[in-house]
Amino acid sequence: MSKIVFITGATSGFGRAAATKFANEGWALVITGRREERLKTLADELSKLVPVHYQTMDVRDKNQVIAAVDALPEAFKNITCLINNAGLALAPEPSQSVDLDDWHTMIDTNVKGLVSVTHALLPTLIKVGNGTSIINVGSIAGSWPYPGSHVYGATKAFVKQFSYNLRCDLQGTGVRVTDLAPGIAETEFTLVRTKGDQAASDALYQGTRALEAQDIANTMFYVATLPDHININRMEVMPTDQAWSSFAIHRQ
């Protein structure tokens, strides 16, 4: 197997779409996530196309991450591309109304989880060398503030800067690093953020054409298959219907 992609958060959204895209293009898969039933279903589906190894794993638990990487079957060890996709947003209400546990969950997943997986796979990626890629799923929220983004946006700003800093450290190894920062996308993202409020999710996407998971999966594949000497440092992707707005001004 010459091309193997390791995807976190593969049970839904961008991660699931990425697994399908890479499998359709002939890449072997290592797919991970917290929901074993979904992982198994996806593995059963895509193993008809390519070799698939799945592992139930919560990126928040560094011991699970280390164990999952150490337990990779020999045929799946030489990872060509790491997609750090596992992440979430919670608590869209103002900071002063947020449960502290929600802040900690976002930090543990979006920051600590991402660095744990990256740290565990860096030796492998460096060994494989030229043409390997780390694709970190950031967000436009990492650059542009908005009400209710508080810790979520801050974690994605971390993803952006961590990606840049990795680029510096990995210079000369052949390992490429990209911060892929999507805008509004219609996935389970808002359902998770609102803890299952379907009406809120429907309202967010009503009357507009948001990005789809497949759009981001296609972008991931493009980044991962560029010639070895090309690195995209950061790619910000928004739907045509989304742009910036003016500064908010409070008036008495």
Side-chain angles (χ1 to χ4, degrees), residues 84-133:
N84 276 314
N85 169 72
L88 79 168
L90 294 171
E93 57 267 20
S95 298
Q96 58 271 31
S97 303
V98 173
D99 187 322
L100 180 59
D101 285 343
D102 286 341
W103 278 3
H104 284 185
T105 298
M106 287 186 280
I107 293 167
D108 289 344
T109 307
N110 301 353
V111 175
K112 294 171 67 176
L114 182 143
V115 301
S116 292
V117 176
T118 302
H119 189 269
L121 283 172
L122 272 178
T124 294
L125 292 163
I126 292 170
K127 181 184 73 173
V128 176
N130 289 340
T132 55
S133 301

Side-chain angles (χ1 to χ4, degrees), residues 3 5 7 15-29 31 42-43 45-52 221:
K3 298 287 186 180
V5 59
I7 304 170
R16 194 182 197 288
T20 302
K21 172 65 177 177
F22 278 77
N24 283 329
E25 297 291 344
W27 286 49
L29 305 176
I31 53 175
L42 183 61
E45 174 188 335
L46 297 181
S47 61
K48 299 170 185 175
L49 302 174
V50 293
V52 179
F221 186 77

Side-chain angles (χ1 to χ4, degrees), residues 5-20 29-35 38-40 42-43 46 53-55 57 59 83 85-87:
V5 59
F6 187 111
I7 304 170
T8 66
T11 54
S12 64
F14 299 154
R16 194 182 197 288
T20 302
L29 305 176
V30 177
I31 53 175
T32 71
R34 292 182 296 110
R35 293 173 284 191
R38 285 196 182 193
L39 271 180
K40 186 179 185 307
L42 183 61
L46 297 181
H53 173 72
Y54 77 91
Q55 178 64 54
M57 181 183 82
V59 298
I83 297 179
N85 169 72

Side-chain angles (χ1 to χ4, degrees), residues 83-230:
I83 297 179
N84 276 314
N85 169 72
L88 79 168
L90 294 171
E93 57 267 20
S95 298
Q96 58 271 31
S97 303
V98 173
D99 187 322
L100 180 59
D101 285 343
D102 286 341
W103 278 3
H104 284 185
T105 298
M106 287 186 280
I107 293 167
D108 289 344
T109 307
N110 301 353
V111 175
K112 294 171 67 176
L114 182 143
V115 301
S116 292
V117 176
T118 302
H119 189 269
L121 283 172
L122 272 178
T124 294
L125 292 163
I126 292 170
K127 181 184 73 173
V128 176
N130 289 340
T132 55
S133 301
I134 299 171
I135 300 174
N136 294 326
V137 177
S139 170
I140 61 169
S143 294
W144 310 106
Y146 62 87
S149 183
H150 40 75
V151 164
Y152 173 70
T155 63
K156 293 305 184 178
F158 173 90
V159 172
K160 176 174 67 173
Q161 194 61 39
F162 180 62
S163 300
Y164 289 168
N165 293 344
L166 272 178
R167 283 274 290 123
C168 295
D169 291 341
L170 293 172
Q171 187 178 22
T173 67
V175 182
R176 304 176 292 186
V177 185
T178 299
D179 170 31
L180 177 57
I184 186 173
E186 190 165 0
T187 64
E188 292 181 11
F189 177 88
T190 301
L191 273 179
V192 172
R193 190 173 205 178
T194 59
K195 299 183 178 177
D197 188 338
Q198 186 66 56
S201 180
D202 293 344
L204 179 63
Y205 304 117
Q206 185 176 10
T208 192
R209 177 72 185 273
L211 296 173
E212 299 173 3
Q214 189 61 50
D215 299 326
I216 299 304
N218 291 341
T219 305
M220 291 171 176
F221 186 77
Y222 168 75
V223 169
T225 55
L226 285 167
D228 293 358
H229 68 289
I230 300 175

Side-chain angles (χ1 to χ4, degrees), residues 67-79:
V69 171
D70 287 347
L72 285 174
E74 194 64 35
F76 290 89
K77 283 188 179 295
N78 290 331
I79 304 299

